[in-house]
Amino acid sequence: MDRREFVRIGLAAGAAAGSSRVLAAPSAAAYKFGAGGILEAGVREQQQMMEAGKLTSHALTSQYLARIRNIDKAGPRLNAIIEINPEALKIALEMDRERMLKRLRGPLHGIPVLLKDNIATGDRMSTTAGSLALNGVRAARDAHVVAQLRAAGAVIIGKTNLSEWANMRSTHSVSGWSARGGLTLNPYSLDRNCSGSSSGSGAAIAANLATLAVGTETDGSIVSPASICGVVGIKPTLGLVSRSGIIPIAHSQDTAGPMARSVADAALMLAAMVGVDADDEATAESRGKAADYSAALEKGGLQGKRIGVARNFFGANPEVDMVIERALEDLAAQGAMLVNTEVPNASKYGETETEVLLYEFKADLEAYLKKYAPHAPVANMADVIAFNKKNHARELKYFGQEYLEQAHSKGDLETPAYRDALLNNRRYARAEGIDQVMQQHQLDALVAPTGGPAWLTDFINGDHYGGSFSSPAAVAGYPHITVPAGHVQGLPVGLSFVGAAYSEALLIRMAYCYEQATRHRRAPQFPASVSLSVR
């Protein structure tokens, strides 16, 4: 059966049944493509098969949905998916129909995508940030980034679990847990944490539950779970991707970004996500600054590049340092010139960063609820706090809501303490931080370990991170890419590339060259725990 016949029969069956259940998808074995099969394949490979008539979006989407049933809801029960889009197969059929009519929307046409459950969708899915306070609440309309992805032909197949309220609920939290979604397990060791808050997106892509996923980051919430789950994550420059329609923490740091199994896939997704949005004033600065990120996917991207090794972000874990030292050798072998340095003043904005986040969380959450969920049972931070107290047994059984209470106690965004803290952050993260070291040494990028390997999930003691390189780029609002760099006891470790504002294309070029020269990604095997014999 050729592609057109498959689509014709599927459309006819759908019309007859009055639903999207049209045709049983061929088994994964029917579409072998490399060691991991078609579900491990990237965007370009999947597109090539669809163009050749060997695959349809409906069949691909069906296979991912089947894998979610078998891996996420049964088997190892990763619990990465919080909700399935009931219209996913219907959308996939429409993308197949458009392909048959030669109306391709772009590189993501017909490609299955997962969204983190703090990203608004104006469809039959809820948008909750993992909180029971918003359970069943459908957003009034799509977030701008969702509209961009739909326009690019992406098939939104569901939403991923996350750390509740994007990990801004408690000082004693457990990443990857939400009252609505439960705990997401790490596919490389089921007793270990995925990090947060985009834990579900990281685990889902690592386990081949979709081709692509969207995460969001305030500080580390894309790059940390990407590193720990052995995938690629891109945190863009603040304002390159619209924040409108995303349940916020803080507008001075929040951004959505792609999570994928390869740099190429992440780059193609980023290209579809960017765009100026009249509802997000920060995107106005990005006008004309987005690049052709697919053009950055070329050989020789490290040749002659000056890369600063941020030595003050080493030392948290000697085995991680060994992995990254080997990565530095690989960078040099590809023609990079390495300069040992430090990111200055990185210790001068830890407290003020938290202060800014608390002030903005209170104001930004109320603004989101008013615009995207005016029908929700909660309208502000005080309502959320009261809901959690009323539903203590379900919401507060593992940890409290200290950050929500601290945020509620803050004043408005004209408060001098807030404005002073924000100025401090920008001074030491930007001008006297990343900008200073890059200008001083004429650097193209900074590199360091993204963070430590996955820690054991612990509901008694909470999270215990093993170091992180996320804060400088997060507080500055600058781009950050993490790429798999190897493993410690079988647990993935990422290498971070950080650059100046709007340097995504340059970072992608370097990250792609490193990835292609090393190819460290290994598909997970879902062990119950780490085997100490694995290196």
Side-chain angles (χ1 to χ4, degrees):
M1 180 187 300
D2 67 17
R3 171 173 53 85
R4 294 194 178 198
E5 184 67 359
F6 185 94
V7 174
R8 185 189 66 76
I9 292 175
L11 288 168
S19 74
S20 60
R21 292 190 296 176
V22 296
L23 191 65
S27 68
Y31 293 132
K32 287 295 182 183
F33 200 100
I38 190 61
L39 302 188
E40 169 82 10
V43 171
R44 287 176 169 173
E45 293 83 2
Q46 290 175 352
Q47 288 288 10
Q48 287 168 1
M49 295 192 74
M50 286 191 277
E51 187 59 31
K54 298 178 180 179
L55 181 66
T56 64
S57 177
H58 181 272
L60 181 61
T61 301
S62 296
Q63 289 184 59
Y64 278 125
L65 293 175
R67 186 163 174 83
I68 289 170
R69 290 192 297 272
N70 295 332
I71 299 297
D72 197 66
K73 305 307 177 188
R77 295 185 182 275
L78 293 180
N79 208 35
I81 309 302
I82 203 168
E83 186 170 0
I84 292 295
N85 184 359
E87 299 174 320
L89 292 175
K90 179 181 177 181
I91 296 169
L93 273 178
E94 174 58 22
M95 293 304 103
D96 287 332
R97 187 187 70 82
E98 291 184 11
R99 183 182 296 274
M100 184 173 63
L101 297 174
K102 303 297 183 182
R103 296 176 183 170
L104 294 183
R105 302 187 185 192
L108 300 190
H109 191 102
I111 298 297
V113 172
L114 288 163
L115 304 174
K116 186 177 177 180
D117 185 38
N118 60 348
I119 302 173
T121 53
D123 54 19
R124 293 164 60 188
M125 291 189 290
S126 302
T127 303
T128 73
S131 171
L132 295 175
L134 294 176
N135 194 23
V137 176
R138 298 176 183 174
R141 59 190 175 95
D142 281 345
H144 183 269
V145 69
V146 176
Q148 292 286 97
L149 289 169
R150 292 195 202 274
V155 178
I156 309 300
I157 67 169
K159 293 192 174 182
T160 58
N161 194 26
L162 69 163
S163 308
E164 188 171 318
W165 296 113
N167 229 5
M168 196 63 180
R169 203 193 84 178
S170 174
T171 57
H172 203 64
S173 67
V174 172
S175 290
W177 181 88
S178 71
R180 181 186 178 216
L183 178 68
T184 295
L185 307 184
N186 190 312
Y188 289 90
S189 182
L190 299 177
D191 58 352
R192 291 182 179 263
N193 204 270
C194 291
S195 188
S197 61
S198 304
S199 43
S201 295
I205 293 306
N208 294 334
L209 304 185
T211 312
L212 302 167
V214 180
T216 67
E217 174 160 332
T218 306
D219 187 338
S221 290
I222 290 174
V223 296
S224 182
S227 171
I228 279 176
C229 292
V231 298
V232 175
I234 300 180
K235 186 210 77 84
T237 302
L238 186 75
L240 186 66
V241 174
S242 173
R243 303 162 298 180
S244 65
I246 299 175
I247 296 177
I249 292 179
H251 62 265
S252 64
Q253 292 183 207
D254 288 353
T255 183
M259 300 176 76
R261 288 181 290 274
S262 70
V263 174
D265 283 1
L268 292 171
M269 190 179 199
L270 180 62
M273 295 171 67
V274 302
V276 175
D277 176 14
D279 289 337
D280 184 354
E281 61 183 15
T283 63
E285 297 182 18
S286 72
R287 191 181 301 275
K289 296 176 182 175
D292 180 1
Y293 301 117
S294 64
L297 304 173
E298 58 184 13
K299 295 180 180 180
L302 284 164
Q303 187 65 44
K305 298 297 186 294
R306 289 180 60 83
I307 295 179
V309 181
R311 287 293 177 184
N312 52 328
F313 287 89
F314 286 64
N317 183 309
E319 290 198 74
V320 170
D321 287 351
M322 289 175 60
V323 170
I324 302 304
E325 291 295 345
R326 290 193 293 270
L328 297 178
E329 294 174 1
D330 292 327
L331 294 176
Q334 295 301 309
M337 296 178 285
L338 303 181
V339 179
N340 284 319
T341 187
E342 294 188 352
V343 179
N345 299 313
S347 64
K348 292 184 177 180
Y349 45 79
E351 293 183 3
T352 54
E353 179 190 10
T354 302
E355 189 80 352
V356 166
L357 301 190
L358 292 171
Y359 273 96
E360 293 185 1
F361 191 18
K362 178 182 179 181
D364 293 353
L365 177 60
E366 184 171 345
Y368 169 87
L369 292 171
K370 183 177 181 180
K371 189 166 189 177
Y372 284 87
H375 50 293
V378 292
N380 50 45
M381 190 71 71
D383 289 347
V384 174
I385 292 169
F387 177 91
N388 289 343
K389 289 179 178 178
K390 184 177 179 179
N391 296 275
H392 183 279
R394 294 187 295 167
E395 277 286 357
L396 304 178
K397 62 180 178 178
Y398 294 124
F399 48 85
Q401 54 179 340
E402 298 89 354
Y403 280 140
L404 299 184
E405 292 166 345
Q406 290 172 28
H408 178 55
S409 72
K410 299 297 182 184
D412 61 29
L413 299 187
E414 296 301 318
T415 305
Y418 161 72
R419 299 177 71 86
D420 290 346
L422 184 61
L423 287 173
N424 183 83
N425 291 352
R426 289 175 174 170
R427 174 186 175 183
Y428 289 118
R430 293 179 182 177
E432 296 181 35
I434 292 174
D435 293 343
Q436 179 177 310
V437 67
M438 293 191 68
Q439 292 166 9
Q440 179 182 351
H441 296 284
Q442 297 181 307
L443 302 176
D444 294 295
L446 293 161
V447 297
T450 306
W455 60 91
L456 289 167
T457 295
D458 185 347
F459 280 102
I460 297 175
N461 297 303
D463 288 335
H464 38 96
Y465 296 90
S468 174
F469 186 44
S470 66
S471 290
V475 178
Y478 289 175
H480 182 168
I481 301 178
T482 182
V483 182
H487 300 78
V488 170
Q489 302 291 353
L491 300 172
V493 172
L495 173 69
S496 283
F497 294 80
V498 166
Y502 301 106
S503 64
E504 281 83 358
L506 178 59
L507 297 182
I508 288 170
R509 185 172 288 111
M510 291 184 281
Y512 179 75
C513 181
Y514 170 76
E515 174 198 57
Q516 294 301 299
T518 57
R519 297 183 180 272
H520 285 295
R521 168 170 162 78
R522 301 177 193 163
Q525 300 300 311
F526 315 110
S529 61
V530 167
S531 170
L532 296 181
S533 64
V534 175
R535 306 299 291 185

